[in-house]
Amino acid sequence: AGAATPQPPRQYKLAPQSELRVEVLPDAPLRVRLVTGTAEIFGTELPPEGWVPVPPRSKIAIFTWHGATVELDGVSESEYTSDETPMVIYVNTHAILDARRARARTAAAQGGDKEASQGPRVIVVGPTDSGKSTLCKMLLSWAAKLGWKPTYVDLDIGQGSITIPGCISATPIEKPIDIIDGIPLEMPLVYFYGHPNPSINADVYKVLMKELAKTLEKQFSGNAESRAAGMVINTMGWVEGLGYELLLNAIETFKANVVLVLGQEKLWKMLKDAVQSKSNIDVVKLHKSEGVVLRNSKYRQRTRSFRIKEYFYGIANDLAPHSNIVNFSDVSVYKIGGGHQAPRSALPIGAEPVADPTRLVAVNISTDMIHTVLAISYAKEPEEIISSNVAGFIHVTDVDIQRKKLTYIAPCPGDLPSRLLIASSLTWYEA
Ligand code: ATP
């Protein structure tokens, strides 16, 4: 059925522990309603009454533990039910994590040490399209439903779910993740890498992970509640070579104590051998859901573009970004890394090349910046840029070299909160 073919409202009777999988088109609205029973979308319960609009392009599963009748209204790209899901294993995993949180809370109340009062730090790893982000959402929502406030850490710079691509970020999850609005965005802690691929400058990626971990560690030390609730960490789908090395690095940097491996035996075995033997880290293998939708690189590229658009225009295209003009002299744009290192042959005998891939480079504003995203750093001085998180992003819409003026859009009106900007390779073209 094409987008134009209308579909009448239809009801599905779901048996206990089964789900209705639905793919929403980019431009046809679809809504869902609970008729009887109880059901959830990735860990967040459907309200007992009323229609819930499902965001365009989303691929969801409406799962029921005890049976439900649900109704769909609108055109979908595909919809089918399945009673083969890994949900029981997932919720059992959640129960184990929950027990660890309770233990950590008790230890904290009894004045236990840092180790004992630390709740689970779960890192979810696996190849692309194994359902990592989805499992993270479920674990977070189930925990939040029980009153915990776990911290969500998203290290996926390609298909992250907290903010625009090219970032690593963290945010506390205080209630089950909203079906429409997604991850709450009041207080995210965001570090800007600026590219969707870590191999462009893996050292910078590692440094930013370290900075994020350091900041979270500081927050936890003053907050026993969030310390006990722990973290759920989402990672990239790149699990070989450098990707694997970065996973090991992430496990170490964030002091993960539970590694959940989705859908790949080999990766599980490798990680188990690499980390479990040396420390008290549990490396657990979990089945992936057959419902996870495969996305090719073109689709991923397009999703990245939409994520950038959403930042400025809202998920439902309901925000109007503000256009502004600054003089070149009002801002300073920097690039992290990219400093050329001298080849060994050009150095005096015996000297080691000074490789500093995290060097800060000032960049001239040029027309090349049109259509790119710039991040606004919280740094007070340029030297602090790499260790600082960012306040938000602007999208460059024009550069006038003659008049030395840069035109941009931002989600909020008013002056930029800082004059220090970080350049990126992220682009988005207004259609
Ligand atoms: P990546 O490595 O690219 O970040 P991932 O492993 O994090 O991918 P997800 O983003 O969790 O994978 O899942 C891919 C897509 O499949 C998402 O759009 C998600 O909503 C959808 N999906 C996950 N589980 C199901 C399911 N049971 N039924 C239908 N759709 C699902």
Side-chain angles (χ1 to χ4, degrees):
T5 320
Q7 282 172 274
R10 59 271 180 206
Q11 292 196 352
Y12 288 89
K13 194 169 179 333
L14 299 173
Q17 291 182 24
S18 69
E19 67 187 24
L20 173 62
R21 296 170 182 161
V22 187
E23 289 188 60
V24 187
L25 287 160
D27 42 16
L30 184 97
R31 49 185 199 157
V32 53
R33 178 170 78 96
L34 187 64
V35 182
T36 61
T38 53
E40 57 183 54
I41 298 180
F42 303 146
T44 302
E45 279 182 272
L46 276 179
E49 269 164 24
W51 289 97
V52 178
V54 186
R57 285 180 297 276
S58 43
K59 302 161 192 323
I60 56 155
I62 304 157
F63 177 85
T64 178
W65 291 104
H66 307 292
T69 301
V70 296
E71 186 170 2
L72 292 184
D73 178 28
V75 187
S76 77
E77 188 170 349
S78 83
E79 55 194 62
Y80 68 98
T81 58
S82 171
D83 57 6
E84 273 176 48
T85 79
M87 293 294 276
V88 171
I89 312 171
Y90 292 176
V91 85
N92 285 343
T93 308
H94 154 75
I96 293 166
L97 300 175
D98 190 52
R100 291 199 185 184
R101 291 184 180 110
R103 230 185 302 148
R105 181 164 57 190
T106 309
Q110 294 168 345
D113 61 11
K114 247 182 128 183
E115 187 78 18
S117 61
Q118 173 60 60
R121 295 189 172 186
V122 188
I123 185 163
V124 179
V125 306
T128 47
D129 299 323
S130 54
K132 295 179 295 298
S133 321
T134 306
L135 178 60
C136 287
K137 276 186 207 162
M138 289 191 269
L139 294 175
L140 290 161
S141 289
W142 287 332
K145 196 182 158 191
L146 296 177
W148 298 108
K149 293 174 181 164
T151 300
Y152 181 36
V153 178
D154 199 343
L155 304 178
D156 187 353
I157 47 181
Q159 310 280 317
S161 36
I162 298 184
T163 181
I164 68 165
C167 299
I168 63 170
S169 43
T171 190
I173 302 295
E174 309 198 333
K175 49 187 187 358
I177 295 163
D178 191 276
I179 294 168
I180 306 162
D181 297 335
I183 309 282
L185 290 178
E186 288 90 48
M187 283 278 297
L189 186 58
V190 181
Y191 288 83
F192 192 58
Y193 172 73
H195 319 281
N197 184 334
S199 59
I200 291 172
N201 198 333
D203 289 294
V204 172
Y205 183 74
K206 286 184 198 166
V207 170
L208 295 178
M209 283 203 285
K210 214 170 266 160
E211 291 296 334
L212 175 59
K214 201 162 78 185
T215 307
L216 290 174
E217 213 67 71
K218 225 178 283 162
Q219 293 182 351
F220 284 151
S221 68
N223 188 336
E225 193 190 7
S226 63
R227 193 175 166 76
M231 308 180 190
V232 176
I233 306 166
N234 186 25
T235 60
M236 282 176 288
W238 186 18
V239 296
E240 270 149 27
L242 177 63
Y244 177 73
E245 189 197 308
L246 292 173
L247 285 183
L248 288 178
N249 199 274
I251 293 170
E252 191 185 335
T253 304
F254 290 91
K255 299 197 176 73
N257 47 28
V258 180
V259 183
L260 301 179
V261 187
L262 274 173
Q264 209 196 72
E265 186 87 23
K266 181 177 142 203
L267 179 63
W268 170 71
K269 186 80 179 60
M270 278 168 73
L271 286 172
K272 206 171 152 66
D273 292 346
V275 305
Q276 186 159 298
S277 48
K278 281 189 241 140
S279 49
N280 53 350
I281 304 174
D282 292 311
V283 184
V284 183
K285 180 173 55 171
L286 294 177
H287 283 288
K288 76 171 248 203
S289 167
E290 290 302 318
V292 177
V293 180
L294 299 182
R295 299 166 296 177
N296 59 27
S297 62
K298 196 165 157 223
Y299 185 94
R300 284 164 189 280
Q301 169 59 42
R302 222 176 316 137
T303 315
R304 282 200 283 274
S305 214
F306 277 123
R307 295 286 299 179
I308 299 174
K309 181 177 178 207
E310 260 171 36
Y311 177 83
F312 295 101
Y313 286 87
I315 293 177
N317 213 4
D318 52 348
L319 301 178
H322 300 264
S323 187
N324 244 320
I325 300 174
V326 283
N327 298 313
F328 287 4
S329 58
D330 293 336
V331 292
S332 308
V333 186
Y334 290 88
K335 189 167 98 174
I336 306 172
H340 295 290
Q341 64 190 68
R344 206 174 274 271
S345 60
L347 293 169
I349 292 165
E352 284 299 307
V354 273
D356 185 6
T358 63
R359 199 165 74 107
L360 198 67
V361 185
V363 288
N364 290 325
I365 298 174
S366 73
T367 48
D368 292 347
M369 264 177 211
I370 299 176
H371 303 304
T372 69
V373 170
L374 304 178
I376 309 158
S377 178
Y378 272 124
K380 300 260 180 325
E381 301 295 332
E383 307 78 67
E384 295 170 2
I385 284 180
I386 187 142
S387 59
S388 301
N389 55 322
V390 300
F393 310 95
I394 61 174
H395 182 248
V396 181
T397 49
D398 193 31
V399 170
D400 186 336
I401 298 289
Q402 220 105 71
R403 291 209 188 81
K404 295 194 184 329
K405 283 185 192 296
L406 178 147
T407 310
Y408 65 89
I409 56 168
C412 315
D415 291 338
L416 293 172
S418 158
R419 49 170 288 137
L420 298 180
L421 305 176
I422 313 171
S424 82
S425 65
L426 300 166
T427 51
W428 170 63
Y429 297 88
E430 207 152 355

